[in-house]
Amino acid sequence: MPNLNKLIVVCGAGGFIGGHLIAQLRQQGATRLRAVDVKPLKEWYQRFDDVENLTLDLQKLPDCEKALEGAATVYNLAADMGGMGFIELNKGLCMLTVLINTHLLMAARTHRVERFLFSSSACVYAADKQRNEDIAGLKESDAYPAMPEDGYGWEKLFSERMCRHFREDFGLATRIVRYHNVYGPNGTYDGGREKAPSAICRKVIQAKLSGRHEIEIWGDGRQTRSFMYIDDCVHGTNMLMDSEFVEPINVGSSQQVTINQLVDIAEQIAGIKLERRYKLDAPKGVNGRNSDNTLIKKVFNWEPSIRLEDGLEKTYQWIYDQMTKKSR
């Protein structure tokens, strides 16, 4: 763990992963926490009164300077992003996120930050490695030769290089984590930015509550993914931050499923069976993506292990509670 008595700054703390990270750091005894997000405080997924909560636009260098003043440890989880529907239709907005990491790195250098973590993504991996549904897994070297997800993936890969060169040129201790499809409660489940597990849960719940037992699935349902529960994500993130490992590393589940199988699991949780309607012209991303965990097991003797069936049940229940509260 980072030094819990020095100032820890979580950027993007009003978002899904950032909110869970703040919650975990509090539980582990962090005495000085600063949470930063561009969203108004009332829109944060999790907010704690004993934390310094700031609303700042981290695309602007002066706001980054303010955010990192006095910081020893910085987690950069801030990004303008969402699920596949969002990132395929908002490439320019995703690319502008490069300003966040660039200005945070500049501010971190100015304030002599001791350690800086950048949250990258499996979207950095080359497209030609992901053409088949039956994919063995993407290892870290598969990011090059570079041909990442257009927009969002290019921004993440460029920002990884920025971290590397700030480490090499300026001595800033950077860490780079490549997340694979993180899901769980206290996150987006509607509005267009949600990812597949939350979207599927919402659709199944809507079908159950309405009595219209049908579901729209983007693509043909045969595309494959792995999904990592938030508790594994936070554990892997802090494990990397506390280590001396400096290269990009996968933090993701290796439990590969098709989108059809993801729907199967959600149906089993809900206790219903739905008629499936496939929207073949909808954004669906690459045909196959899975995490090769050879490196993380070698370096840390660990990999994400929470089963999709278990994590999705908790996620489903949280989304169900939110949706039924709204209808009361």
Side-chain angles (χ1 to χ4, degrees), residues 71-298:
T73 302
V74 176
Y75 295 83
N76 177 17
L77 302 168
D80 197 352
M81 56 85 68
M84 190 53 59
F86 179 83
I87 65 176
E88 284 201 4
L89 300 175
N90 296 277
K91 296 182 177 69
L93 287 177
C94 291
M95 287 297 291
L96 283 172
T97 296
V98 75
L99 295 173
I100 296 175
N101 195 61
T102 301
H103 288 151
L104 282 174
L105 284 170
M106 293 169 67
R109 182 189 177 202
T110 297
H111 290 298
R112 300 181 182 275
V113 165
E114 295 175 10
R115 191 153 294 193
F116 182 102
L117 181 136
F118 173 64
S119 59
S120 188
S121 165
C123 288
V124 302
Y125 287 114
D128 64 358
K129 305 282 188 180
Q130 304 172 79
R131 298 191 187 282
N132 298 320
E133 290 90 353
D134 187 16
I135 182 172
L138 294 160
K139 54 186 181 293
E140 286 75 6
S141 59
D142 287 333
Y144 296 95
M147 187 51 67
E149 189 88 38
D150 201 8
Y152 180 71
W154 275 111
E155 184 277 319
K156 289 296 188 185
L157 195 60
F158 177 83
S159 292
E160 285 189 9
R161 304 299 294 190
M162 286 285 286
C163 288
R164 174 177 176 171
H165 297 313
F166 266 67
R167 174 174 57 83
E168 294 172 339
D169 294 355
F170 306 126
L172 177 61
T174 57
R175 301 292 182 266
I176 301 166
V177 55
R178 288 178 182 164
Y179 292 137
H180 286 248
N181 290 311
V182 188
Y183 73 99
N186 291 297
T188 304
Y189 62 89
D190 61 5
R193 290 179 182 260
E194 68 277 11
K195 295 192 174 182
S198 294
I200 294 299
C201 286
R202 185 199 74 241
K203 291 178 180 182
V204 171
I205 292 165
Q206 287 173 333
K208 183 169 184 174
L209 294 176
S210 68
R212 295 189 296 272
H213 286 191
E214 60 182 33
I215 185 171
E216 180 183 87
I217 298 173
W218 288 9
D220 59 15
R222 295 198 295 267
Q223 61 269 36
T224 56
R225 297 290 187 275
S226 65
F227 300 100
M228 172 174 57
Y229 190 63
I230 185 63
D231 289 359
D232 274 338
C233 172
V234 171
H235 178 82
T237 300
N238 281 325
M239 183 175 62
L240 176 63
M241 183 63 111
D242 193 39
S243 77
E244 298 306 314
F245 189 80
V246 299
E247 299 298 329
I249 194 167
N250 286 333
V251 177
S253 170
S254 59
Q255 181 185 356
Q256 185 182 48
V257 296
T258 66
I259 298 301
N260 279 327
Q261 289 171 328
L262 177 64
V263 176
D264 289 341
I265 296 169
E267 287 177 334
Q268 290 168 8
I269 294 168
I272 59 174
K273 195 69 179 173
L274 305 177
E275 180 181 351
R276 303 182 184 191
R277 302 185 184 279
Y278 295 95
K279 186 173 175 58
L280 299 180
D281 61 348
K284 73 180 188 70
V286 296
N287 290 327
R289 178 177 290 160
N290 191 20
S291 181
D292 183 318
N293 288 342
T294 302
L295 181 60
I296 197 169
K297 287 190 290 186
K298 178 181 178 181

Side-chain angles (χ1 to χ4, degrees), residues 297-316:
K297 287 190 290 186
K298 178 181 178 181
V299 174
F300 295 106
N301 193 31
W302 177 86
E303 67 173 322
S305 60
I306 297 172
R307 297 189 320 143
L308 178 58
E309 293 82 354
D310 299 328
L312 199 67
E313 185 171 7
K314 295 177 182 178
T315 306
Y316 177 97

